[in-house]
């Protein structure tokens, strides 16, 4: 089939067509040329001056330094976590099985650079004297402790005696210590401990606070009973802590007197061979029992064995043997 019409070519087609390598091509401008060009297009008010430009660069430098500092902090935390994991693996691989040491006994909060802060709420009518003794015992174990107290608005007045007991004299810089006891005098029914408000609830009860603090002692210390004792010692210590707390701290006068008789009988059953509640060494159970006896002022008419033990505990704590709580 042939075409009906034939049209002659009006424009000759070139043999090759050169295509562009990019859509747009711009010249390389210096900073000053770019500012001049921006000023001509947007106007001088929308283009920053050299002074504003330098301020912007300085702000970027500050942000970059802050980001680098945060990255360094995160890297230190990661190294710390990895170090704890490696240390625990090395300890478990080279040591024999110990029936009393749990996973928590291998880690220590003192490896971190920050202060391990313990915030305790306590009622001045039942002051947690155990903190005074634990502070002294931790220092003797090689752990520096910072101690201070504050009065909450829910409490009208706290005696000078109590404030002096729970505050370091002289009060040195807090950041130079491994542990910090911060006691807030509040109208609470029982002492409460807070270590990390983002990852825990409050630890209530003086016996439970003592359990927590006991884990800050070295593994070989008798006050870290979960690490240094057998299962029998751990069970007996926990039972004694709960029993003394229930009968003395939360009990009535009749229950308190019964607790004093049981403490006295405990020494009698050991036939005078031991000076402390759990044996030949002072332990966490002694710390709690002494604090609760002092709170309730039960030392005044205590049995002979309990009175002798109480006097030794008061001397160990560095407090007066018998004093009325104001």
């Amino acid at each position: 089939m042939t075409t009906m019409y034939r049209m002659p070519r009006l424009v000759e087609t070139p043999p090759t067509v050169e295509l562009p390598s990019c859509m747009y091509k711009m010249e390389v401008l210096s900073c000053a040329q770019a500012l001049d060009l921006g000023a001509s297009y947007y106007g001088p008010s929308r283009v920053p001056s050299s002074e504003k430009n330098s301020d912007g660069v300085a702000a970027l430098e500050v942000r970059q330094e802050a980001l680098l500092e945060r990255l360094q902090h995160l890297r230190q935390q990661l190294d710390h976590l990895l170090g704890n994991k490696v240390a625990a693996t090395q300890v478990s691989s080279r040591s024999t099985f110990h029936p009393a040491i749990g996973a928590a006994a291998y880690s220590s909060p003192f490896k971190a650079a920050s202060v391990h802060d313990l915030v305790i709420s306590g009622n001045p009518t039942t002051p947690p004297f155990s903190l005074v003794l634990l502070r002294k015992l931790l220092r003797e174990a090689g752990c520096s402790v910072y101690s201070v107290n504050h009065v909450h608005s829910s409490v009208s007045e706290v005696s000078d005696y109590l404030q002096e007991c729970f505050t370091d004299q002289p009060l040195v810089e807090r950041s130079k210590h491994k542990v910090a006891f911060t006691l807030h005098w509040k109208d609470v029914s029982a002492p409460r401990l807070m270590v990390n408000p983002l990852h825990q609830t409050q630890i209530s009860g003086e016996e439970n606070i003592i359990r927590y603090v006991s884990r800050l002692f070295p593994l070989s210390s008798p006050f870290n009973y979960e690490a240094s004792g057998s299962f029998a010692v751990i069970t007996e210590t926990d039972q004694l802590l709960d029993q003394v707390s229930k009968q003395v701290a939360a009990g009535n006068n009749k229950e308190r007197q019964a607790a004093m008789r049981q403490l006295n009988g405990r020494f009698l059953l050991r036939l005078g061979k031991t000076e402390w509640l759990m044996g030949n060494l002072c332990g966490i159970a002694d710390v709690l029992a002494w604090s609760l006896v002092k709170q309730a002022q039960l030392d005044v008419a205590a049995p002979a064995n309990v009175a002798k033990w109480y006097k030794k505990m008061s001397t160990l704590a560095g407090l007066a043997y018998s004093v009325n709580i104001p």
Side-chain angles (χ1 to χ4, degrees):
M1 180 177 179
T2 59
T3 57
M4 295 183 65
Y5 303 100
R6 182 182 294 275
M7 296 290 293
R9 289 183 177 180
L10 300 178
V11 178
E12 291 294 332
T13 304
T16 59
V17 178
E18 184 178 354
L19 298 177
S21 59
C22 62
M23 294 294 294
Y24 303 99
K25 186 175 183 181
M26 298 188 66
E27 298 180 0
V28 179
L29 302 178
S30 64
C31 183
Q33 291 174 335
L35 291 175
D36 294 339
L37 182 62
S40 63
Y41 185 80
Y42 292 105
S45 61
R46 298 187 61 179
V47 178
S49 62
S50 60
E51 181 178 357
K52 292 181 179 180
N53 188 34
S54 62
D55 293 340
V57 173
L60 288 175
E61 291 179 352
V62 173
R63 289 182 59 189
Q64 184 179 14
E65 291 178 357
L67 289 174
L68 292 175
E69 185 177 353
R70 289 181 60 187
L71 288 174
Q72 182 66 20
H73 180 65
L74 291 174
R75 182 175 181 179
Q76 291 176 356
Q77 287 183 332
L78 180 60
D79 293 341
H80 170 65
L81 294 175
L82 292 176
N84 282 347
K85 183 177 180 180
V86 172
T89 304
Q90 292 175 349
V91 170
S92 60
S93 62
R94 68 171 179 263
S95 61
T96 57
F97 173 74
H98 194 292
I101 300 181
Y106 286 112
S107 61
S108 173
F110 307 137
K111 295 179 182 179
S114 59
V115 180
H116 192 69
D117 202 358
L118 280 68
V119 180
I120 304 103
S121 300
N123 198 314
T125 59
T126 55
F129 286 110
S130 58
L131 297 178
V132 178
L133 182 52
L134 289 173
R135 175 185 64 187
K136 183 174 182 290
L137 295 173
L138 280 172
R139 288 172 178 170
E140 292 177 353
C143 175
S144 57
V145 183
Y146 175 88
S147 181
V148 70
N149 68 94
H150 305 284
V151 180
H152 190 259
S153 59
S154 61
V155 175
S156 59
E157 184 180 2
V158 178
S159 67
D160 295 338
Y161 168 75
L162 289 180
Q163 296 195 49
E164 291 175 0
C165 287
F166 293 89
T167 302
D168 289 335
Q169 299 294 337
L171 191 63
V172 296
E173 188 176 348
R174 177 181 178 276
S175 60
K176 295 182 178 180
H177 297 78
K178 292 183 178 180
V179 180
F181 286 169
T182 304
L183 177 60
H184 291 283
W185 297 112
K186 290 184 178 181
D187 185 14
V188 292
S189 58
R192 299 172 183 174
L193 168 65
M194 178 63 69
V195 180
N196 191 332
L198 298 179
H199 299 91
Q200 68 155 114
T201 57
Q202 287 184 335
I203 298 175
S204 181
E206 189 171 359
E207 72 280 8
N208 295 321
I209 295 176
I210 288 178
R211 283 188 175 99
Y212 181 89
V213 178
S214 71
R215 298 168 188 140
L216 304 181
F217 283 89
L219 300 182
S220 59
S221 173
F223 298 102
N224 192 341
Y225 70 101
E226 292 176 329
S228 60
S230 62
F231 277 130
V233 172
I234 295 174
T235 304
E236 187 179 2
T237 302
D238 283 331
Q239 181 182 4
L240 188 56
L241 290 173
D242 293 335
Q243 179 183 356
V244 172
S245 178
K246 180 180 179 180
Q247 293 181 333
V248 180
N252 52 34
N253 291 333
K254 185 177 180 180
E255 291 172 332
R256 290 177 176 177
Q257 294 301 326
M260 296 297 287
R261 290 192 297 269
Q262 289 179 2
L263 290 178
N264 189 64
R266 187 176 184 87
F267 290 113
L268 290 175
L269 289 175
R270 295 181 182 271
L271 302 177
K273 295 181 180 180
T274 62
E275 299 180 357
W276 313 102
L277 293 176
M278 290 298 299
N280 295 321
L281 296 175
C282 180
I284 288 297
D286 297 279
V287 175
L288 176 64
W290 168 79
S291 177
L292 296 180
V293 170
K294 187 174 181 62
Q295 289 175 22
Q297 301 180 15
L298 298 175
D299 58 294
V300 178
N305 292 316
V306 176
K308 181 181 178 181
W309 160 84
Y310 179 84
K311 186 175 181 179
K312 288 188 299 184
M313 290 295 299
S314 298
T315 304
L316 181 63
L319 296 181
Y321 168 56
S322 181
V323 62
N324 293 329
I325 301 176

